Amino acid sequence: MLPFEKNSRIVFCGDSVTDVNRDYKAVPAGWGSFGDGYVNLVHALLTAVYPDRELMIMNEGVSGDDIKLMAARWDRDVLDMKPDYVSVMIGINDVWRHFDGPFRQADLVSLDEFEQTYEDLMGRTEPRVKGLIVMSPFMMEPNRDDPMRAMVDRYAEVARKVADRHGATYVDVQAAMDHFLEKQSSYILSMDRCHPGIEGHMLVARTWLQAVGFDWERTTFDDEK
Amino acid sequence: MLPFEKNSRIVFCGDSVTDVNRDYKAVPAGWGSFGDGYVNLVHALLTAVYPDRELMIMNEGVSGDDIKLMAARWDRDVLDMKPDYVSVMIGINDVWRHFDGPFRQADLVSLDEFEQTYEDLMGRTEPRVKGLIVMSPFMMEPNRDDPMRAMVDRYAEVARKVADRHGATYVDVQAAMDHFLEKQSSYILSMDRCHPGIEGHMLVARTWLQAVGFDWERTTFDDEK
Amino acid sequence: MLPFEKNSRIVFCGDSVTDVNRDYKAVPAGWGSFGDGYVNLVHALLTAVYPDRELMIMNEGVSGDDIKLMAARWDRDVLDMKPDYVSVMIGINDVWRHFDGPFRQADLVSLDEFEQTYEDLMGRTEPRVKGLIVMSPFMMEPNRDDPMRAMVDRYAEVARKVADRHGATYVDVQAAMDHFLEKQSSYILSMDRCHPGIEGHMLVARTWLQAVGFDWERTTFDDEK
Amino acid sequence: MLPFEKNSRIVFCGDSVTDVNRDYKAVPAGWGSFGDGYVNLVHALLTAVYPDRELMIMNEGVSGDDIKLMAARWDRDVLDMKPDYVSVMIGINDVWRHFDGPFRQADLVSLDEFEQTYEDLMGRTEPRVKGLIVMSPFMMEPNRDDPMRAMVDRYAEVARKVADRHGATYVDVQAAMDHFLEKQSSYILSMDRCHPGIEGHMLVARTWLQAVGFDWERTTFDDEK
Amino acid sequence: MLPFEKNSRIVFCGDSVTDVNRDYKAVPAGWGSFGDGYVNLVHALLTAVYPDRELMIMNEGVSGDDIKLMAARWDRDVLDMKPDYVSVMIGINDVWRHFDGPFRQADLVSLDEFEQTYEDLMGRTEPRVKGLIVMSPFMMEPNRDDPMRAMVDRYAEVARKVADRHGATYVDVQAAMDHFLEKQSSYILSMDRCHPGIEGHMLVARTWLQAVGFDWERTTFDDEK
Amino acid sequence: MLPFEKNSRIVFCGDSVTDVNRDYKAVPAGWGSFGDGYVNLVHALLTAVYPDRELMIMNEGVSGDDIKLMAARWDRDVLDMKPDYVSVMIGINDVWRHFDGPFRQADLVSLDEFEQTYEDLMGRTEPRVKGLIVMSPFMMEPNRDDPMRAMVDRYAEVARKVADRHGATYVDVQAAMDHFLEKQSSYILSMDRCHPGIEGHMLVARTWLQAVGFDWERTTFDDEK
Amino acid sequence: MLPFEKNSRIVFCGDSVTDVNRDYKAVPAGWGSFGDGYVNLVHALLTAVYPDRELMIMNEGVSGDDIKLMAARWDRDVLDMKPDYVSVMIGINDVWRHFDGPFRQADLVSLDEFEQTYEDLMGRTEPRVKGLIVMSPFMMEPNRDDPMRAMVDRYAEVARKVADRHGATYVDVQAAMDHFLEKQSSYILSMDRCHPGIEGHMLVARTWLQAVGFDWERTTFDDEK
Amino acid sequence: MLPFEKNSRIVFCGDSVTDVNRDYKAVPAGWGSFGDGYVNLVHALLTAVYPDRELMIMNEGVSGDDIKLMAARWDRDVLDMKPDYVSVMIGINDVWRHFDGPFRQADLVSLDEFEQTYEDLMGRTEPRVKGLIVMSPFMMEPNRDDPMRAMVDRYAEVARKVADRHGATYVDVQAAMDHFLEKQSSYILSMDRCHPGIEGHMLVARTWLQAVGFDWERTTFDDEK
């Protein structure tokens, strides 16, 4: 059963997979604020099926963010929005820079720093919200021996551990992608194996919603809170 | 259970509610061909959840169409695409022109002409496809006594009768909208009560998918056809 | 008889129905300053028929304003312009946010706050001008039982009461719209029932001009002041 | 009393003063078809005050036309629209080319050719419509000795004679402009003394409406035809 | 004989007739700095015929300026450029606002204020430069009884008097225009009788150059300074 | 004395030095038809100084033309315009392609073919016009030993011979450029030594006008034809 | 030693890897005709190092082409250009459509059809040119077991066999990419593993040039042909 | 042998020949940071052939710079980037302004000031880097007696002397250009003889790479540092 009370505020934070061209000047939860990715789809599904809950969805993803960049803006972009629930997906850029960054000597985030920073963010946030949702970073590459996929798996494992320590709902997006890739090539979901198209974002949205207890078949408002 | 066999071709035909800025020059089922409305969402959900089926979704909606304009292009836009399944939603413009057209003396479609044309289209199409889906035209106005809403209901009733005569699956979008409007104003779904935003399109997509037996919770490919 | 003396300054204040794409950088009463709505039409009719009066029309409408937002800029935008006459139309956004705002938790203006703020503005302005004109907020919806229309009527009633207390000319735009809607659908005037097209703006302009004593048939300058 | 029966079709033909940026691809009497000049204002006033008449206004002005160019497209643009009433304003370009055209050796229309062509057009049109309206060409220049103004007067005189011969309503726009110019400079109405701004167009619209019996004060539908 | 010594700096100051779309961000005397009017033509003719003089032409015209606006920026825009020669043309806006400004209650410059301000500017500038050139404001209207033309003549007379008092070269542009208008209509030179086209600007440029002793037939560099 | 009779038609034909962004869709001798080069300046000077002559200037230059491309369009673009006078400047592209074309194997025009084609064009045109003007092709390079400059000189010599055989006025633009380049670098006139800026075009215009007897000092219309 | 004789014409044909935004309207071998990929780099290197050869490089790549689409335009785009040498790179789209095309039921090219078509094209071309160059299709994916990479290898093997049968120079681009990928991730070269960036195109260009005997250290023209 | 150690940072500084439309807002060594000139080509060649070195290339060219302007930003743009190697090409604007600047009285840099400033920059930089590369300014004009070319040669000679004094590698780009110009016209390389096209930039890149020991034929990573 969907846990979000009427008028709950849900903040989604993350990188470009969360952002997806959202309008930074939009009114929170207003026109253009949702972007074109999974946050928009989650918003549309929650509104369509649970109009009585009047859930306020806020997209605070910023393209290019790794966990350090996200941590630097956490207070202003997440806590100051007074969320009831916070959903986070981070880590793909922490990994990616090891593979596309050597020629520009990008500042890399080690697995340890990733875990410490994630731990700190969740630790500070847990006492101030009703619920946390942690989503795995993911790569749309089925070969687990691919060097970047293997590293993504290690960072995702950290996300899972942090989630466990703070009683967060863990959304294993990578598992959903792997299931899909049993049947189709990564090019159906993404050109670069990191940024999904609409089909991939729908898969992310469904995975998130299934994890939080969304009822697709809901036809009455009897469960209203 | 979703009835569409692997590699089925499904054509969606209709007016601006189906079209929604699709790129008329796009390759069928290629980038940009789906528009930004319920067809795009249906495509994304079918692809995400049933990747093994490889369903080809073709959007043949044209903004501004009433049933006469749609009938004039039916052979080329629908039958020539060799569809296995055809989904139709038409009628809002047939009604709307009675209300916004008097000063330009729009060419109006009577209820009889609407029924005859619809009957003819379905009659010619039924023997050539595996399945028909007929969607009700709808207005996001809860007051059934509103003159335009009342007329939409009469045209929707015709659609239902035609659907019954040809063994089509009938998708009652108006009922889904009415359920929503018990809780929220029409402005949440639409500015003009006829063209939905993303939330309204998601409601259309869900209603369509529920009518054809889509399984949101599907997690294996064991039901593959 | 038109009461405005030669060289009178008339400020129109309000929301998007007053603003209508005016150029905020335009010289007051210069090219582009009038917008594309009723203020522009009032200006054109006064200039065409009363060129000898040389009336200075200033549009100070701002899209999106409710009465609280308008009050915050009243001194700078209205009083500092040293008007001889002030015309106000406000309230539709105070109502509308109750219907389109729940998912973004918009800050709502109660009927009491609306009345207090309106009262305060008129009280401060009355002693500084030669005349006040108060226009009713309005909705192009003929069904008085429609929840939003019913609420608009309550806010309009407040406007009328405030007008009466300060000797303002009251312009009942809603009545003019209701008269029109006896014969035609709201779609002739507006897509969203709140923002008029050119025909609706002409109706607003005529209603305003009739209320202040504009003489359409005037053919001499003998009544010059 | 306004003579136009319910559902009358009224075609306005002429040059750039009639055209004013109308969208040539617009549906007749649809969005964008009216342009930004007096035709738009006449349409808006007739719609606002006589919504019960459902008058269809068609703008067939073409920028740059002199009477020869207009005559060449008369059948297609005017008669084929099956008008009940036709309103014409032509002649300013026939005159203007004598003054701005010598260096490009523009093809000039003599007063005789102007009269013959006008006579022919009205003669062919009179038997096919319920009413004709002929508007004077005009120049926003108060000095009747100005060479171009003097020539405009001669062409306007021809228009009046042709109107008389065919029982047309004659609209003396020049007289209305002259009245205005007693009080204000031509720069209030126009930069080039030929193309009016919104104030000048409003003056043209009012003059036209007064000539055909428009009732600005109309408040009931009792005079319905 | 052309009086400008090698490497002289000549600043042109004035209103839109001087400015003509010059690029305010251009390097002085660099690409785009000259605008599209008479200053550009003067520059091109001086460069083509007197390349040995290497004259630096600076356009400091600003559209919309009357003499008060120009005076407010005189030190920064003219004197700080360290000119050897200064050419001024101002006054048309001082007059025009009396005719196009009443509805916006433009701030008018009286003939006295015009003379005082002009006198002050020339008085401060004369001791700091080698030469002053004063150009008459002008209107491309041949009728000297036209109210605006008559007023322009009064302001031009002031310019001449000021020029005489400070030993400035006076360039009678109005006389050159009047000569032209004996043969052709004002529409050949200008749509609004104030802003010239390329032909009118060439006439201004020729008049200026004739006044300062430019030799069109010059074919040697023997007169080099 | 300027030989062109009142209402003469003068066609300028050539390549990009003549064309200079003219609007190919413009009415002949109308707005935008003159381009931004010497033809525009010649037009402006003739209009400014000889308004009584009402000379019609037609720019028929086409960027990229060599003599073969120009010959192919000569009948339509030049003779069909019924010119009284024809002015030609051609040849720079015939030369340039030898220097910038080897890698794309441009189709080269030999000196012989250049002479034959030029001879043929002038031979066919001479009997149909009142006068011919032949302008030298030119390069803004002072070093006569530069390989391209040397070749330009040979093609210019052909132009002079053809001019002599047909009694054409020969305009030696190269000589004017060489005189200028004694004092300044080619960069003052042109970035690529072939396409002039405004200063270079003014030099071309002056050279042309001096060759045909233009009187810069003309102040009366007593010499009218 | 570079085999291309002076003035040789070399046509490059292929898909988007060859095309890379070339201007289809450009003159062959003229500005913009080379695109932004390896053809442009090959052209620049050949021009810089062998200016005496005057080699004409023609890019005839078309984005989206598989071998069937390319074959359909071969005569017009390749043979009609009268090339001395022809270079081909094709096949990536033939493979890719198996992986990104199932939902739109793309028309697939089997390995047999690929070989037959390639064989036919080379067979028809070999007798008409001095030399053929065949480039391997390639994928910037180091894992040879990746399903798409494995299929690319099979198509590349066909290209090699066809090259051998027709005495063509074979350019093994895949080998060069594999060497690079020993040291860096594919993201350095490409986002989608199929379309290279500038670094990847440089690698293609170098590989091509090494295969044909380009001498990077060449410093004299003594080897001129 | 290429001297740059793994992870070396190489800064290129200079004027528009170095800059070439680089994106000033780009991340150093990131997308768009390289511009479209020789720096981009050097980067691409080093990356393609020496991927194991992971060299970070930074373009710090600024269009329009002469040596004084470059010196003013040297600390921030060059030294603060902590380069291991610095490459400089400057001087063409110091010379050019003598030829295109007289009419705008450009601030000229004398040969002495050029030498002093260059000396100072290299003196301050030498102790802070592992290597300096000095590139000659150059003009694509083969005639050494051309006044501007002659002056360029004198400034280049200064660059060489400064290079010698600081143990810098000197890259004689002018010599490479002169070799090319033995065979082709300057128009193959440049329209204005100062800004190269892609062919000219490739020549610059090759000359630079040959000077520093780049091995075009390198096929193993055995020389890794």
Side-chain angles (χ1 to χ4, degrees), chain C residues 43 54 183 206 216 224, chain D residues 183-184 199 206 216 224:
Chain C
H43 157 74
E54 300 186 355
K183 290 294 174 185
R206 188 179 74 128
W216 167 268
E224 259 183 71
Chain D
K183 290 293 174 186
Q184 295 290 345
E199 303 88 349
R206 188 179 74 130
W216 168 266
E224 262 184 67

Side-chain angles (χ1 to χ4, degrees), chain H residues 9-52:
Chain H
R9 298 174 151 235
I10 311 175
V11 168
F12 289 80
C13 203
D15 49 42
S16 61
V17 181
T18 301
D19 181 332
V20 198
N21 295 320
R22 70 182 177 93
D23 179 359
Y24 288 7
K25 294 176 182 161
V27 170
W31 295 110
S33 71
F34 304 111
D36 296 325
Y38 75 89
V39 178
N40 195 28
L41 298 172
V42 164
H43 157 74
L45 276 159
L46 287 175
T47 301
V49 182
Y50 294 81
D52 47 313

